[in-house]
Amino acid sequence: MLTLGGLSVALALVLVPGRTEALKEGECEVCVTFLGKLYQSLQDNNMIFTSADIETALMKSCKDAKGKDNRFCYYIGATSDAATKIVNEVSKPLSNHVPVEKICEKLKKKDGQICELKYDKQVDLSTVDLKKLKVKDLKKILEEWGESCKGCAEKSDFIRKITELMPKYAPTAAKARTDL
């Protein structure tokens, strides 16, 4: 049998909201990075922090997003082909200057996939032995540069194309490679 004091303690435990689970180191990497860059660009451009203006800027950023950033935009509904739309879960808190980590924590509760996104590890083109990379990784390098290798059949074809384009897309790496 509950006493009046016991009842108030039980009631207090029910009414106290559970603490939100803080993000672990490296969790929600894409969310935190993308929203951090967006927030910084809004500040740099002296943007008025209204929910509508932030949503417009978010949609514009997502239009040009590639790779994992584009996937993040899709998950929050900021792409034209997205099935759901939760951009207000980003724009409203950002308009109140809520830290991006807190926004990502909240998004994680809505859709766990958002925090599972991680950026691919970048290859250091100045030191990597291209011959030891997989063809998939060589294709990814070209894709990141917005290039393709038409007619490439052998691994050596992809390596030749990357080496040929390196001065244009990774001049520092190209210079470091000639110094080797």
Side-chain angles (χ1 to χ4, degrees):
M1 176 178 254
L2 281 175
T3 63
L4 189 54
L7 180 62
S8 61
V9 169
L11 189 58
L13 288 173
V14 171
L15 295 177
V16 173
R19 66 179 194 88
T20 57
E21 193 64 33
L23 294 178
K24 294 172 186 68
E25 184 67 32
E27 193 175 20
C28 286
E29 178 186 8
V30 174
C31 178
V32 170
T33 304
F34 186 84
L35 293 182
K37 286 179 187 173
L38 176 69
Y39 183 78
Q40 191 60 52
S41 75
L42 296 172
Q43 283 187 317
D44 292 348
N45 293 319
N46 298 318
M47 179 77 114
I48 299 169
F49 278 76
T50 65
S51 198
D53 288 344
I54 291 171
E55 191 169 320
T56 302
L58 175 65
M59 299 299 268
K60 186 174 184 248
S61 292
C62 284
K63 195 174 188 180
D64 300 328
K66 303 236 181 303
K68 303 292 182 179
D69 288 340
N70 179 269
R71 179 65 24 203
F72 168 74
C73 290
Y74 174 80
Y75 287 157
I76 64 168
T79 59
S80 58
D81 61 342
T84 59
K85 188 169 173 133
I86 57 172
V87 289
N88 60 326
E89 299 286 336
V90 172
S91 59
K92 191 168 184 174
L94 266 184
S95 70
N96 294 317
H97 303 280
V98 172
V100 294
E101 292 81 5
K102 294 291 180 195
I103 296 170
C104 292
E105 280 176 29
K106 200 168 180 188
L107 289 173
K108 180 182 177 184
K109 290 179 188 167
K110 296 257 183 211
D111 185 352
Q113 296 177 98
I114 289 171
C115 283
E116 291 171 6
L117 288 172
K118 295 203 180 308
Y119 290 114
D120 297 328
K121 299 297 172 232
Q122 291 297 311
V123 175
D124 183 2
L125 290 171
S126 57
T127 58
V128 73
D129 183 354
L130 294 173
K131 293 178 187 125
K132 290 186 178 177
L133 292 178
K134 296 178 179 176
V135 172
K136 177 180 94 173
D137 296 326
L138 296 171
K139 285 181 178 179
K140 194 179 288 182
I141 291 168
L142 290 170
E143 186 180 299
E144 286 172 4
W145 292 347
E147 297 282 349
S148 63
C149 194
K150 294 195 184 346
C152 291
E154 300 291 324
K155 186 176 187 174
S156 58
D157 297 332
F158 288 99
I159 292 170
R160 187 173 46 256
K161 183 77 170 181
I162 289 170
T163 308
E164 182 183 302
L165 293 171
M166 202 178 289
K168 179 179 178 183
Y169 293 102
T172 314
K175 184 171 177 5
R177 292 183 81 82
T178 57
D179 293 348
L180 293 176

